[in-house]
């Protein structure tokens, strides 16, 4: 018997999937904070230069030096944010790919145990509709959550030693 699972639903609804999605969101928030901090540094520098100009603390020669310093600050900020963005994207892809493989491995285990002929992702291209009696997402979800709970318990025991 051919059965289907909803991989997207498993990402959103399993314990490990929720943990991964939360980690991804946390990484994105850290990236936004970094972008904000970098822009604040640049704005504070710019405002300081403008204030010094108004107060006549710097002249034209100093202004050119400050403009070069500003350009350097902007370039370094851009590099810093781009490096962080690449790292976040790489971590996110790695987590998602790894968990997708876990989903498929657990689905295969359940398939073998239940005697299903095949398991397909109902959110895959080409799948138009799936009869409710062919959707085995809840069965695979239960197995994924049990696996996660077992691994978490083992991890906690290992940390206590």
């Amino acid at each position: 018997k051919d059965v289907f699972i909803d991989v997207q639903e498993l990402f959103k609804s399993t314990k490990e999937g929720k943990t991964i999605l939360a980690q991804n969101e946390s990484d994105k928030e850290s990236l936004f904070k970094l972008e904000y901090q970098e822009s604040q540094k640049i704005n504070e520098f710019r405002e300081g230069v403008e204030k010094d100009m108004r107060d006549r603390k710097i002249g034209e020669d100093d202004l050119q030096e400050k403009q070069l310093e500003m350009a350097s600050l902007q370039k370094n900020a851009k590099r810093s944010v781009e490096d962080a963005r690449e790292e976040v994207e790489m971590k996110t892809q790695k987590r998602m790919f790894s968990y997708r493989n876990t989903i498929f491995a657990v689905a295969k285990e359940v398939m073998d145990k239940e005697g299903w002929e095949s398991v397909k992702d109902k959110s895959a291209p080409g799948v138009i509709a799936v009869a409710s009696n062919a959707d085995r997402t809840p069965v695979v979800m239960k197995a994924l959550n049990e696996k996660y709970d077992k691994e978490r318990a083992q991890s906690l025991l290992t940390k206590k030693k």
Side-chain angles (χ1 to χ4, degrees):
K1 178 179 181 178
D2 290 340
V3 299
F4 293 83
I5 59 172
D6 187 339
V7 173
Q8 292 175 355
E9 182 62 29
L10 292 171
F11 265 102
K12 292 188 289 188
S13 300
T14 58
K15 294 174 183 178
E16 187 171 3
K18 288 178 183 178
T19 300
I20 288 168
L21 293 176
Q23 288 170 330
N24 292 347
E25 278 304 308
S26 175
D27 286 350
K28 285 180 191 174
E29 286 176 22
S30 294
L31 179 61
F32 292 141
K33 284 179 185 174
L34 176 65
E35 287 175 323
Y36 178 76
Q37 289 168 346
E38 292 296 332
S39 71
Q40 284 298 104
K41 281 184 206 173
I42 292 166
N43 287 337
E44 287 170 8
F45 183 80
R46 181 184 298 119
E47 288 168 3
V49 170
E50 289 171 356
K51 183 179 182 325
D52 288 348
M53 290 274 300
R54 281 192 309 270
D55 296 346
R56 305 217 188 279
K57 291 181 180 176
I58 60 173
E60 283 299 314
D61 292 340
D62 292 332
L63 180 60
Q64 285 181 340
E65 188 177 310
K66 294 290 184 184
Q67 287 172 334
L68 290 174
E69 199 175 330
M70 171 76 105
S72 178
L73 266 175
Q74 289 172 324
K75 194 159 98 177
N76 289 338
K78 185 176 180 179
R79 260 193 220 127
S80 177
V81 169
E82 283 305 314
D83 288 348
R85 180 174 285 114
E86 285 177 19
E87 185 177 335
V88 165
E89 287 173 6
M90 195 170 67
K91 280 180 174 179
T92 298
Q93 288 175 355
K94 184 178 177 183
R95 285 183 197 124
M96 300 297 276
F97 184 76
S98 177
Y99 191 53
R100 187 174 184 85
N101 286 341
T102 298
I103 289 171
F104 292 150
V106 169
K108 168 86 169 80
E109 290 171 13
V110 174
M111 179 186 85
D112 292 342
K113 189 174 109 185
E114 296 288 329
W116 303 333
E117 290 178 24
S118 69
V119 179
K120 298 173 184 169
D121 181 359
K122 76 180 201 176
S123 60
V127 177
I128 297 169
V130 175
S132 60
N133 65 346
D135 185 354
R136 295 294 188 268
T137 303
V139 177
V140 174
M141 186 180 306
K142 182 178 183 226
L144 283 163
N145 284 334
E146 287 171 356
K147 178 183 185 312
Y148 181 74
D149 288 343
K150 184 178 177 183
E151 288 174 356
R152 293 273 300 157
Q154 187 63 41
S155 170
L156 291 173
L157 286 175
T158 305
K159 285 181 183 177
K160 287 183 180 180
K161 290 183 180 178

